[in-house]
């Protein structure tokens, strides 16, 4: 009887990692921008292995909770030197980094949304991106009142959306499946 090795957990090639990144993609703001913070983390697959060819994409409000987009009900507004969008491929160790500004709270029809960053993950074996959010640990009161976080009943699941503070920013690891799986939203 023959023994075969385990089939990889993800089988589609690294095409997103090759075609989507661009050189300044990880910089929503220029290095040296006052108040800039790094969002760093690692992407893990369902077996707990790093994903060296994923792409992390971020979209967020500016520090005043505004968007430079026509769908912002308060009107589109540009924040000088800030691109509300970032895109970074993971490295050989599954790590990524986006330099940005911490967003402000965003008004919503069911109450203010706590400061957060929307994150899309593209990776091999996934025909569609998955979408999650990063919330900030020092925003305890805002996080407790956030209607999206409040909709997640399991405290352990909710905790997967709160970043950890680090010296120069925040750490936000993404677990695509398995134990400690990051909460993803059906959009």
């Amino acid at each position: 009887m023959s023994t075969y090795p385990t089939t990889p957990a993800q089988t589609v090639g690294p095409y997103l990692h090759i075609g989507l990144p661009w050189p300044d993609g990880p910089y929503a703001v220029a290095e040296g921008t006052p108040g800039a913070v790094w969002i760093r983390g690692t992407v893990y697959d369902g077996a707990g292995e790093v994903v060296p060819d994923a792409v992390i994409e971020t979209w967020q409000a500016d520090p005043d909770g505004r968007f430079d987009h026509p769908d912002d009900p308060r009107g589109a507004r540009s924040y000088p030197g800030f691109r509300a969008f970032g895109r970074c491929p993971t490295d050989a160790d599954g790590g990524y980094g986006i330099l940005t500004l911490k967003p402000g709270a965003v008004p919503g029809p069911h109450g203010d949304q706590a400061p957060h960053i929307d994150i899309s993950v593209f990776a091999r074996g996934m025909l569609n991106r998955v979408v999650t959010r990063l919330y900030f640990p020092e925003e305890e009161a805002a996080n407790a009142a956030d209607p999206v976080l409040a909709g997640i009943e399991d405290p352990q699941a909710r905790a997967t959306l709160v970043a950890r503070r680090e010296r120069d920013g925040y750490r936000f690891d993404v677990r695509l499946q398995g134990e400690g799986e990051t909460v993803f939203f059906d959009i």
Side-chain angles (χ1 to χ4, degrees), residues 135-179:
Y135 287 89
F136 298 89
E138 67 276 8
E139 297 288 344
E140 292 179 23
N143 290 348
D146 183 271
V148 175
L149 276 177
I152 302 169
E153 294 178 12
D154 178 2
Q156 288 181 329
R158 196 169 40 250
T160 68
L161 301 182
V162 180
R164 285 191 337 259
R165 187 77 170 122
E166 292 197 329
R167 178 184 53 80
D168 62 351
Y170 299 88
R171 177 153 194 93
F172 186 74
D173 293 333
V174 176
R175 298 186 188 288
L176 296 172
Q177 296 177 319
E179 188 174 332

Side-chain angles (χ1 to χ4, degrees), residues 18-184:
I18 293 168
L20 289 179
W22 71 96
D24 70 343
Y27 299 93
V29 294
E31 289 187 273
T33 298
V37 294
W38 278 102
I39 305 297
R40 291 190 179 105
T42 303
V43 179
Y44 297 94
D45 68 12
E49 300 294 324
V50 298
V51 180
D53 54 5
V55 173
I56 296 290
E57 190 175 273
T58 62
W59 174 252
Q60 67 178 86
D62 68 23
D64 297 325
R66 305 278 305 259
F67 293 95
D68 186 13
H69 192 277
D71 287 345
D72 189 316
R74 298 155 296 168
R77 189 189 75 185
S78 179
Y79 193 92
F82 174 65
R83 180 181 66 208
F85 178 77
R87 184 181 287 158
C88 183
T90 56
D91 61 20
D93 296 321
Y96 71 91
I98 303 279
L99 185 67
T100 191
L101 296 173
K102 184 179 170 189
V106 177
H110 306 291
D112 286 356
Q113 295 181 40
H116 67 277
I117 297 176
D118 293 316
I119 296 178
S120 293
V121 182
F122 301 86
R124 58 189 153 97
M126 296 168 34
L127 297 179
N128 296 304
R129 69 184 173 139
V130 290
V131 179
T132 190
R133 280 185 168 186
L134 174 158
Y135 287 89
F136 298 89
E138 67 276 8
E139 297 288 344
E140 292 179 23
N143 290 348
D146 183 271
V148 175
L149 276 177
I152 302 169
E153 294 178 12
D154 178 2
Q156 288 181 329
R158 196 169 40 250
T160 68
L161 301 182
V162 180
R164 285 191 337 259
R165 187 77 170 122
E166 292 197 329
R167 178 184 53 80
D168 62 351
Y170 299 88
R171 177 153 194 93
F172 186 74
D173 293 333
V174 176
R175 298 186 188 288
L176 296 172
Q177 296 177 319
E179 188 174 332
E181 178 179 338
T182 301
V183 170
F184 298 105

